[in-house]
Amino acid sequence: MVLQFNNYSVILISSGLATFLISYLIFKRLGGTVRWFSLLMFFIGWWAVTYGMELSSWTLPDMLFWINLEYIGIALLPAMWIIFIINFIGKERWLKWYSLLLIFLIPVITIILVWTNSLHYWHYVSVGIDKNHSFPLLSIKPGIWYKCFTVYFYFLLAWGCFLLINRFKHADSIYKKQNSSILLGALIPWIVNLLYLLGIRPNAHIDLTPYAFIATGFLISLGLLRYRLFDIVPIAREKVIGAMHDALLILDQQDR
């Protein structure tokens, strides 16, 4: 395997390794719902490192090897996102075995179809190398399943945003920082990926989506580790008050 690193790949690989470290720190230091975010960060890091290795490869077999590994992160990322959101809004009861089966069914099928693409060409109609740039790039023509997975990816991203907005649209101002941070983390990669699908890309082929995921992931992780962004979760307060059978009297500092 011949690897020749470039600016794009070095940034991805180094940032992906840093993302692995942050994922580990979040998982070890924080608990509960936030641990689902650490898994989300792990798959972002996986995508970044493997895509960086793809961009460093100079032969088609090497590129296909890395893109096969890459799709473990790509396919599982939207599933981790929606599971994190469902837990964050306090709807854990939704995550029955059959709902988890539905959430993970398309990612598993996608990974299998990517790994066996040469037998059916459902995910990629064709693959080749574009050598008209400073380093060779994988050139792909999307197949029918690529489009199906894209719909799934966007649906789960949009559904998570909808659940978050709908759950907290009447929330106290203390929670608005949480909500805006998560929504920002979702919308920026969404917009960048949309530009990629529209053909607006560096060197005609480079996907900037993992760069966007890493950037927003770092921002949210900073809030988690430094400012304890998710320490105050409104669901816990509502569950406690909802379960109370006694009267509750709240006073301010002037005993009003």
Side-chain angles (χ1 to χ4, degrees):
M1 181 176 291
V2 178
L3 298 174
Q4 296 191 25
F5 299 99
N6 52 74
N7 291 336
Y8 288 101
S9 64
V10 169
I11 292 174
L12 272 179
I13 294 172
S14 57
S15 300
L17 293 176
T19 303
F20 283 143
L21 176 60
I22 292 175
S23 173
Y24 173 77
L25 292 176
I26 292 174
F27 189 84
K28 290 289 290 185
R29 294 185 184 182
L30 307 176
T33 299
V34 180
R35 286 192 169 181
W36 287 105
F37 183 79
S38 73
L39 290 176
L40 184 68
M41 289 293 292
F42 174 83
F43 286 110
I44 291 173
W46 182 279
W47 184 2
V49 171
T50 52
Y51 187 39
M53 297 300 287
E54 177 201 323
L55 293 178
S56 302
S57 301
W58 281 60
T59 66
L60 184 59
D62 290 349
M63 291 179 180
L64 294 179
F65 170 81
W66 286 112
I67 202 170
N68 285 346
L69 294 180
E70 195 178 320
Y71 256 89
I72 297 175
I74 295 173
L76 293 174
L77 191 59
M80 290 298 104
W81 158 257
I82 197 62
I83 291 174
F84 163 65
I85 292 297
I86 289 174
N87 277 273
F88 183 71
I89 66 174
K91 300 295 184 180
E92 302 92 338
R93 63 183 182 276
W94 291 359
L95 298 174
K96 306 295 185 182
W97 69 268
Y98 47 85
S99 57
L100 289 172
L101 178 63
L102 290 175
I103 290 174
F104 284 101
L105 181 61
I106 290 183
V108 171
I109 293 175
T110 300
I111 292 172
I112 293 173
L113 291 180
V114 169
W115 290 357
T116 61
N117 188 73
S118 60
L119 301 177
H120 46 71
Y121 296 98
W122 286 4
H123 196 76
Y124 297 129
V125 174
S126 64
V127 292
I129 296 182
D130 183 353
K131 297 183 178 180
N132 296 319
H133 306 280
S134 56
F135 55 93
L137 291 166
L138 184 65
S139 175
I140 62 172
K141 183 177 180 181
I144 183 63
W145 189 259
Y146 184 101
K147 299 172 183 176
C148 291
F149 176 75
T150 300
V151 171
Y152 163 84
F153 190 102
Y154 275 77
F155 172 75
L156 286 194
L157 192 61
W159 185 31
C161 292
F162 170 78
L163 290 176
L164 195 65
I165 293 171
N166 187 62
R167 185 65 184 80
F168 297 120
K169 61 184 178 182
H170 301 304
D172 295 341
S173 59
I174 192 173
Y175 308 123
K176 290 182 178 179
K177 187 176 181 180
Q178 296 173 333
N179 306 338
S180 59
S181 297
I182 300 174
L183 287 173
L184 178 65
L187 293 177
I188 292 180
W190 192 359
I191 294 171
V192 172
N193 185 253
L194 182 60
L195 294 176
Y196 172 80
L197 294 176
L198 293 175
I200 305 174
R201 323 161 185 170
N203 293 343
H205 301 288
I206 295 178
D207 186 359
L208 296 181
T209 308
Y211 296 89
F213 268 118
I214 286 175
T216 54
F218 279 161
L219 291 176
I220 296 178
S221 299
L222 178 64
L224 287 171
L225 295 172
R226 184 174 181 181
Y227 301 110
R228 315 290 289 186
L229 182 61
F230 297 157
D231 273 9
I232 303 175
V233 179
I235 304 303
R237 184 193 67 171
E238 294 182 7
K239 285 183 176 179
V240 170
I241 295 179
M244 291 177 62
H245 299 289
D246 298 321
L248 177 66
L249 181 65
I250 302 176
L251 305 176
D252 64 11
Q253 293 181 346
Q254 287 77 43
D255 291 329
R256 295 177 295 187

